[in-house]
Amino acid sequence: SDRHTVADFAAMQSDTVDLAARALLPRLLRDTPTAEGNLARTALALLDGWDGRAALDAPQPLIFTAWMQRLYALVLAHLHVPAEADAAVAPWPQFLDHVLTPSGATLCGGDCRPLLGESLADATADLAARFGSTPATWRWGAAHRAVFVHPVLRLLPGLGAALAPRIAAPGDDSTIDRGGAAAGSQADIHGPEFRGVYDLADLDHSLFVMAPGQSGNPFGPGARNFLARWRDGASVTIGPAPAQITAHLVLTPAAGSPGRRRRGRMSPASPTARCCAA
């Protein structure tokens, strides 16, 4: 079909293919010297043929991200750029894309290949210390976790961390479903907390999701009820007629006092009720 649907755009928002990784990998695989040690060799073999998908249950996005972070740091160190000045340097995909070209190799003294091997060895050694000595069992979701801190309660020692919903999330810095990581970390610290797809032909069929839940009260049942839905790219509709109705609300004035505040009572759902979506 030549027309996109609401579902098509919702799927697009959940795209976790890292195109920057796809572009860099052929040169990385070609130019990285024969890796020293079983860890680095195994990790490089796992990256060969990777499609760039930053999936939760895959080791490749974890290996690639840790490797590129370490390579980025080594190149900056070679240029005597202080670590705290990272933010002033070009974003790493563009920066490393240039470094891996013949003209960019001058940033490494004329040959960046030794840094490729060194950074891969450093990254895999660190990952092995954290996740075990078998790269095939490493998982992106084990390191890439989105944490939703409360804007006020986060300031309270202990309580703020305990009440912060967290979930393993797909995506990375260069995917449409973005899960940006901090320098030197794979934690998911930047991404789309709210997603919406608006159907202008029928607004009742628009799709929405907001993380971590419907309620801002961290003690309420709705505080985390959208967390898995958000991670998985699912959504809800907000139309006048929910797909499933569980109850309806009837408002009646107090007997003999038509001017007083109305009281509400909950009744079992009827076929015509239109109140509460499950």
Side-chain angles (χ1 to χ4, degrees), residues 10-100:
M12 191 184 303
Q13 290 179 340
S14 302
D15 190 333
T16 58
V17 175
D18 185 335
L19 296 181
R22 279 189 176 181
L24 286 173
L25 264 178
R27 278 178 285 173
L28 291 169
L29 295 171
R30 181 194 66 208
D31 295 338
T32 301
T34 302
E36 297 184 5
N38 290 333
L39 277 176
R41 280 198 298 270
T42 302
L44 206 58
L46 287 169
L47 289 174
D48 191 6
W50 177 45
D51 65 359
R53 193 172 303 278
L56 290 175
D57 58 353
Q60 289 91 346
L62 180 57
I63 295 168
F64 179 80
T65 300
W67 183 13
M68 293 302 96
Q69 288 178 335
R70 185 59 185 151
L71 175 61
Y72 188 67
L74 286 180
V75 174
L76 292 186
H78 188 84
L79 295 172
H80 305 291
V81 176
E84 60 271 14
D86 283 4
V89 182
W92 73 260
Q94 291 82 1
F95 181 74
L96 294 182
D97 181 67
H98 175 65
V99 164
L100 296 176

Side-chain angles (χ1 to χ4, degrees), residues 147-220:
V147 181
F148 298 85
V149 295
H150 194 279
V152 176
L153 296 180
R154 66 183 177 84
L155 302 175
L156 301 179
L159 183 61
L163 292 176
R166 60 195 68 218
I167 192 169
D172 62 25
D173 269 312
S174 301
T175 58
I176 294 178
D177 183 8
R178 191 167 189 270
S185 166
Q186 290 85 45
D188 183 355
I189 64 167
H190 190 277
E193 183 181 9
F194 168 82
R195 299 190 191 99
V197 179
Y198 297 85
D199 185 345
L200 299 184
D202 187 354
L203 288 173
D204 292 342
H205 285 87
S206 300
L207 302 177
F208 309 93
V209 71
M210 181 176 182
Q214 288 173 286
S215 172
N217 175 10
F219 303 100

Side-chain angles (χ1 to χ4, degrees), residues 232-247:
D232 298 338
S235 56
V236 298
T237 57
I238 309 178
Q244 183 178 358
I245 300 166
T246 58

